[in-house]
Amino acid sequence: MLSAIVWGLVQGLTEFLPVSSSGHLVIVPELLQSLGFDVAPPSLGVSAVLHLGTLAAVLAYFRKDVVKVLHFRSEPEGRKIAMLVAVGTIPALAGFPLRDTVESIQEDVTKVGIAMIVTGLILVLGQKLAVGARRLAEGTALDAFVVGVGQALALIPGISRSGTTIAAGNGRNFHPQEAARFAFLLGIPAIAGAGLLSLPDLLETGEAGGELIVAMLVAAVSGYWAIGFLLAALRRVGLIPFAIYCFIVGVLTVAFL
């Protein structure tokens, strides 16, 4: 149960903050184990199902946008969002055949630490590009595809999905908060797909018990808070503090774990 609570808290906070949830789900258990706590890292399947908790958080936070998409016939903005999300999801589909390769990276904490450093570099670049003023309603299929490529890169544990997609959105001259809004909405199909595809396997192996339910609830609550925190942080301080954090965590992970 302690592991489940840690998993849920780490997943919820770091799925939306641009610091890599997959990386932290490897690094935090490793750190706690080195300190004497009996906290095991989750399997790749459990990590995927934890995303269902953060899926609930993003659906709740952006419920107005979700409703617009559901009423796309009468909502022009809903049609535009649906198109952008559909096109942006295409690059991530290429990642499913690479599941075994991704899992091997997740098992190597040093590689995850290096990926965290790369995330820091992406965030620095993303902040330099954060000068646009375009609204999501002005987005094109090309914008969506470019941001989708950023999401596909985040299949690598340690590369932040929200960080790469926000940076890519900034690179397409979206307003930083609009880039973040698209990043979160774009994550809905990917998060749902990864979680739902992994759930049957966990049911077969018996891993989908009460502990996983607790982890998902913790992830949902902490994820909802993290979305609001990030949107406020983008207005006040931008991405650089998160980049510094990723550099520090990445270097310490490579050096000591």
Side-chain angles (χ1 to χ4, degrees):
M1 187 60 74
L2 174 61
S3 293
I5 293 172
V6 170
W7 295 343
L9 190 60
V10 171
Q11 171 65 32
L13 292 177
T14 60
E15 172 65 28
F16 300 117
L17 300 182
V19 295
S20 177
S21 61
S22 59
H24 279 76
L25 285 171
V26 175
I27 293 170
V28 171
E30 188 81 16
L31 174 62
L32 292 176
Q33 285 180 6
S34 69
L35 296 174
F37 293 95
D38 186 17
V39 177
S43 66
L44 189 63
V46 170
S47 297
V49 173
L50 284 176
H51 284 65
L52 295 179
T54 45
L55 174 64
V58 72
L59 289 175
Y61 199 97
F62 292 99
R63 56 192 177 276
K64 292 182 180 179
D65 286 321
V66 173
V67 169
K68 289 178 182 178
V69 171
L70 294 176
H71 295 86
F72 65 92
R73 291 183 180 178
S74 59
E75 287 280 358
E77 189 176 7
R79 287 195 296 273
K80 175 57 71 74
I81 293 173
M83 182 276 290
L84 294 174
V85 170
V87 173
T89 300
I90 293 172
L93 296 177
F96 284 107
L98 302 176
R99 180 184 177 91
D100 292 340
T101 302
V102 171
E103 189 164 11
S104 68
I105 295 174
Q106 184 167 339
E107 294 170 354
D108 189 331
V109 70
T110 299
K111 290 180 180 178
V112 174
I114 293 171
M116 289 285 293
I117 296 172
V118 174
T119 291
L121 294 173
I122 292 172
L123 295 178
V124 171
L125 176 61
Q127 184 58 39
K128 289 183 177 297
L129 297 173
V131 294
R134 294 174 66 207
R135 313 300 297 179
L136 188 54
E138 303 172 55
T140 66
L142 179 58
D143 296 326
F145 188 82
V146 171
V147 177
V149 170
Q151 177 169 258
L153 290 175
L155 292 168
I156 301 171
I159 301 295
S160 168
R161 191 197 67 80
S162 63
T164 56
T165 50
I166 290 172
N170 288 345
R172 298 302 299 174
N173 293 318
F174 284 113
H175 186 281
Q177 285 194 297
E178 289 289 276
R181 177 186 170 208
F182 182 43
F184 295 141
L185 292 171
L186 180 60
I188 291 175
I191 293 170
L196 293 174
L197 287 174
S198 299
L199 189 56
D201 292 337
L202 297 188
L203 291 172
E204 284 186 15
T205 60
E207 290 182 89
E211 292 87 354
L212 185 57
I213 294 174
V214 169
M216 289 169 60
L217 289 173
V218 173
V221 174
S222 56
Y224 189 92
W225 176 88
I227 293 173
F229 177 82
L230 178 60
L231 291 175
L234 289 176
R235 287 194 301 268
R236 298 173 184 172
V237 296
L239 294 171
I240 295 302
F242 300 103
I244 294 171
Y245 173 85
C246 288
F247 286 138
I248 293 172
V249 172
V251 169
L252 291 178
T253 297
V254 172
F256 297 109
L257 294 181

